[in-house]
Amino acid sequence: MPIDWPKIRERMPMEKDAESKKKRKELFSGFDPNGNGYLSLAEVDKGCRDVLGLHELFDVKPVLMRAFQAAKSINNKKNKSGSHGPDFIEFCEFRLLLVYLRMYLELWDMFDQVDTSDDGRVSKEEFKKAMPLIESWGVKIEDPEAVFNEIDTDGGGMLLFIEFANWAIEKGLDLEDDDE
């Protein structure tokens, strides 16, 4: 599915300015239907669909899960009064949740382009065939087999999204046709 990057940018106010913060407060309230001041993974999932109207995110659970995991413990004050601990997203973590959602969606887009069999995994052959694509994202690979084995941290012979994402973040891969 092609991703509408301008729509993502418009609906996810990630900047640090006052107007974006105001929009985030409104979004956070929409994501938090019971008004308890923190968001579970299920509330983030539903908020992406119902509040943001971004089915691109709702339909890709690995993106939601990775972004939630990355953002939820930024404000880790589980022993302090008023905090809900590291298992939920609080408002002070919400901007970073949006940043991570955007980042992991871009990584998913790359992963999906490499995963030509659409089985949610990248084989060594798919990886080798994707060398021109990966080079267009900013990394030239001299020995695809060695790099594949390096990325395949669980040794399963296939690259999972999280393995690919971790490697792509480390290498600074960047889509040419996204909004940044």
Side-chain angles (χ1 to χ4, degrees), residues 42-61:
E43 288 170 323
V44 170
D45 188 22
K46 189 174 184 312
C48 286
R49 184 192 66 202
D50 298 346
V51 178
L52 290 175
L54 294 174
H55 293 274
E56 295 93 330
L57 288 170
F58 180 76
D59 293 338
V60 187
K61 300 305 182 213

Side-chain angles (χ1 to χ4, degrees), residues 3-4 16-17 23 26 32-33 36-38 44 51-52 58 62 64-65 81 91 111 116 119 146 152 156 168-169 178:
I3 295 172
D4 185 345
K16 293 182 179 181
D17 60 89
K23 288 179 184 177
E26 292 170 9
D32 184 19
N36 62 5
Y38 59 95
V44 170
V51 178
L52 290 175
F58 180 76
L64 288 167
M65 289 171 35
S81 175
F91 180 72
F111 181 80
T116 56
D119 64 353
D152 183 20
I169 290 167
D178 69 343

Side-chain angles (χ1 to χ4, degrees), residues 114-117 121-130:
V114 176
D115 175 23
T116 56
S117 65
R121 307 173 304 167
V122 172
S123 70
K124 196 172 283 189
E125 287 308 309
E126 287 173 316
F127 187 73
K128 287 178 182 178
K129 287 179 184 172

Side-chain angles (χ1 to χ4, degrees), residues 79-141:
N79 296 324
K80 299 215 172 139
S81 175
S83 174
H84 300 289
D87 296 326
F88 300 95
I89 300 291
E90 297 179 59
F91 180 72
C92 62
E93 299 162 321
F94 191 61
R95 186 187 75 79
L96 286 175
L97 173 68
L98 298 177
V99 169
Y100 287 133
L101 284 168
R102 162 67 184 79
M103 179 184 77
Y104 280 107
L105 184 60
E106 179 180 359
L107 296 171
W108 179 264
D109 192 6
M110 292 177 197
F111 181 80
D112 191 49
Q113 290 181 53
V114 176
D115 175 23
T116 56
S117 65
D118 293 325
D119 64 353
R121 307 173 304 167
V122 172
S123 70
K124 196 172 283 189
E125 287 308 309
E126 287 173 316
F127 187 73
K128 287 178 182 178
K129 287 179 184 172
M131 287 302 103
L133 200 52
I134 292 170
E135 187 171 335
S136 77
W137 299 331
V139 174
K140 178 132 176 78
I141 297 174

